[in-house]
Every structure is written in structure tokens, then in C-alpha cells.
Amino acid sequence: MDEPGARSSHLRKIPNLGGIAIFFSLGVCAPIFAYELFDRYKFLFASFIILFFVGVMDDIMVLRAYKKLLAQILVSALMVIGSDVRIRSLFGVFGIYEINYYISIAFSILTFIILINAFNLIDGIDGLAGSYTIVTSALFGVSFFRLGSHNDPLVVLCSILIAASLGFLFYNLSNKRSTKIFMGDTGSMILGFLLAFTGISFIEIFIAKRDEVFYHLQSAPVIAVAILILPIVDTLTVIITRIYHKKSVLSPDKNHIHHKLLNLGLTHRRSTAYIIAYYLLIIVAAYFFRHLSVNQLLVLIMVLGFFGAYLPIFLLRFKKD
């Protein structure tokens, strides 16, 4: 059970093992309908299992942060080194193109870890993590579908993520105490891991390989950043706020975007709807301006992202005045 605390947005005990159901749906459906994934990425299922058991242990007993971090480093290394799922090029972002192999490994592992934890941080109000998973999976799934039949297993994985999240949201958004449930760290770590995996796989498609021809989109890394912008901007905003107030970046607080919207008097559902709608506008802007230079597009996306993050603060100050 998730006990209400100082940072909680709920007032009573809520079951927090919804991630088990999400894992179950992925663990059963993915090997049946997207079995090619486990041929192509040898350590994908092993990573599932590790994150599942660590997440369940944390939801039940509350593990120390360093133990969770060690598990995240392990699964990230398995995927990056063992399955060769890594960021090989930045397509000219900050003037960087092809990345050295060892730097690529370190950068990719760090990307996995950051996105796993960033996704966990947005799971603070009803419906947000599940709705965001549906949106990102749908966008990546459509992209994979348009980029050739070679990506069909990834399309199926995205479809399974959407279905699992819809099933979870049915209970997460329930107003009945007897049926309401949270995904807990089990669900948020698995979903964050898979969104990082699909994001890196999306970028990988646009890197030319010997004897293979792909449609090349120069702004592919920035488009991936736009799709995953919510956890990225939310985490950066919280870090900046903590540094500004001279607090440890690891200290818990209520400075996340969803907390600010709740302070404005919005309900959980309305806060979720606002966040999803706004970041969909960012994705539309990224698609519309995709032919800008990668650095110009990245600046545009980050400015829009931070504007959305700080807008509730300005509105709250205006409301108080």
C-alpha cells in the first residue's frame, strides 16, 4: 500500500502494485506477438525480469536508492553493451556527429538511467504516467510503422504498451476506493526503461548502415527528445529549482509540474489533461519545424518545454496577487 506522506497527492492508503499487471501483460504478449524482439535484443527479457523484481521489492519493502540505481545500471549495461542498443550519432547536435564507441556506451547507459528515473518522477498524480505512455507509444509506433516492415516488432511492442496502459488507467482513474491502484516503482521503472529503449531505437533507424538504406531525418534525435520532453523538462526544472534554493538535488520536494497544477486548484484529471495537451502541442511544433537545423529545433523544443513547466508558477503568483 502507498501510505500518504508529505509529498503525496492522495489522502488514503492506495494499493501500489499495478506494475505487476503491466509486467504480466508485457511478459505474456511481447514474446508471443513480437518474439523477433528477443532474437534481435538478447538481453531485453532479462532486463524486464530484473526491473520487475527490484520494483516489486521496492514497492513492498522500500529499497535503498543505491540498490535501485545498481539494478538500473545493470539493465542499462545489458541493453547497451549486450544488445548494442545505443546512441551512435547526435546528427550534428552541438556539432557532434559520430560518437566514439566507449563514449557512446557511457552516454547511452546514462540516457537509460536518466529516463527511467525521470519517468518515475512524473508518476505523481492519477493518470499522468499511463496517459503519457499511451501518447509516446502511439507516436513511436506510428513512426516505426511508417519506416518499414523491418520495424514491425517495435510497432507491436508499442501497441502492447498502449493496451497495458489503457488497462491500468481503467483502475488508476477509478473513483472507487475498492478498485483504485497505482503502478508503483515496478510499473514506472519498466515503462521508463521501455520508452528509453523505443526512443533510442527510433534514433537508430535513421543511422545509415552498410547494405541497408533508411529514410534519413537529420533532426531524429531532437524529435525523440520532443516525444520524451515531459520527463526530461520536469526533471531539469526540479533540479534547477533545488539548486536555486540551495538544496540537495536528491532531496524530495513538491516542485514537479503536476504539483504546481494541483496548487492552482486543478484536479488530478484536469492536471493530467493539461500536461498531455501542452506537450502534444510541443510534438506538433517539432514535427512542423522538423526541417530546421537540429540545434535550432532543439532550442525551440526546450524553450517550449520550460515555458510549459514554469507557466503554472507564474499563474499561481498572479492568482495570489
Side-chain angles (χ1 to χ4, degrees):
M1 305 289 282
D2 193 316
E3 301 272 358
R7 295 176 60 247
S8 301
S9 301
H10 58 288
L11 302 175
R12 60 175 187 266
K13 292 182 181 179
I14 302 291
N16 66 344
L17 291 175
I20 294 178
I22 294 173
F23 169 82
F24 183 78
S25 60
L26 286 163
V28 172
C29 295
I32 295 174
F33 300 109
Y35 60 89
E36 299 95 338
L37 281 175
F38 302 100
D39 287 332
R40 193 181 304 173
Y41 308 107
K42 301 294 183 184
F43 294 95
L44 182 58
F45 199 76
S47 300
F48 273 169
I49 299 296
I50 294 169
L51 286 176
F52 170 70
F53 277 105
V54 171
V56 170
M57 289 173 66
D58 186 54
D59 287 331
I60 295 174
M61 299 186 299
V62 185
L63 293 177
R64 291 192 177 185
Y66 81 90
K67 292 183 178 180
K68 288 196 292 182
L69 180 60
L70 287 174
Q72 293 166 9
I73 292 172
L74 175 60
V75 298
S76 301
L78 285 174
M79 290 303 296
V80 173
I81 301 172
S83 297
D84 202 32
V85 178
R86 58 190 175 88
I87 301 170
R88 305 166 195 270
S89 171
L90 291 185
F91 295 71
V93 175
F94 306 126
I96 301 171
Y97 289 88
E98 198 72 22
I99 305 175
N100 173 272
Y101 176 74
Y102 296 103
I103 296 176
S104 171
I105 285 176
F107 181 60
S108 301
I109 290 175
L110 185 63
T111 300
F112 266 107
I113 294 170
I114 289 173
L115 286 175
I116 290 170
N117 287 287
F119 189 86
N120 184 41
L121 292 176
I122 69 167
D123 183 28
I125 58 173
D126 294 345
L128 182 56
S131 299
Y132 188 69
T133 300
I134 290 171
V135 171
T136 52
S137 297
L139 290 166
F140 280 131
V142 170
S143 300
F144 290 137
F145 178 76
R146 294 183 62 191
L147 291 167
S149 59
H150 178 71
N151 303 303
D152 284 351
L154 289 167
V155 176
V156 175
L157 176 63
C158 291
S159 301
I160 295 169
L161 282 170
I162 292 170
S165 299
L166 283 170
F168 166 74
L169 284 177
F170 178 80
Y171 295 96
N172 183 232
L173 292 174
S174 173
N175 290 321
K176 296 181 181 178
R177 184 173 182 177
S178 60
T179 56
K180 194 173 189 66
I181 196 167
F182 294 157
M183 68 170 62
D185 275 11
T186 309
S188 64
M189 283 203 298
I190 289 174
L191 293 178
F193 167 77
L194 288 175
L195 291 180
F197 167 68
T198 51
I200 293 174
S201 298
F202 173 78
I203 297 171
E204 175 74 5
I205 291 173
F206 298 99
I207 297 175
K209 296 181 179 180
R210 191 175 300 172
D211 302 324
E212 295 182 44
V213 178
F214 292 120
Y215 165 68
H216 187 74
L217 180 64
Q218 186 68 24
S219 57
V222 185
I223 298 295
V225 168
I227 295 175
L228 297 171
I229 190 69
L230 173 57
I232 293 172
V233 165
D234 185 56
T235 302
L236 289 175
T237 302
V238 169
I239 290 173
I240 291 169
T241 303
R242 290 172 184 172
I243 292 173
Y244 178 77
H245 291 289
K246 298 180 180 179
K247 295 181 178 179
S248 168
V249 295
L250 300 177
S251 61
D253 55 31
K254 300 186 75 170
N255 285 314
H256 295 283
I257 298 170
H258 53 267
H259 287 137
K260 297 165 187 172
L261 290 172
L262 293 178
N263 291 338
L264 282 171
L266 274 66
T267 63
H268 282 224
R269 293 187 181 189
R270 288 185 178 181
S271 298
T272 294
Y274 162 79
I275 293 171
I276 297 298
Y278 184 81
Y279 286 100
L280 274 173
L281 286 176
I282 293 180
I283 294 164
V284 170
Y287 181 79
F288 185 77
F289 293 107
R290 66 188 183 281
H291 295 300
L292 288 174
S293 74
V294 287
N295 290 299
Q296 289 176 332
L297 184 59
L298 180 61
V299 170
L300 174 64
I301 296 306
M302 296 308 293
V303 167
L304 289 173
F306 279 112
F307 177 79
Y310 282 102
L311 182 60
I313 298 177
F314 299 139
L315 292 176
L316 186 62
R317 288 179 179 175
F318 179 76
K319 184 178 179 181
K320 287 181 179 179
D321 293 340

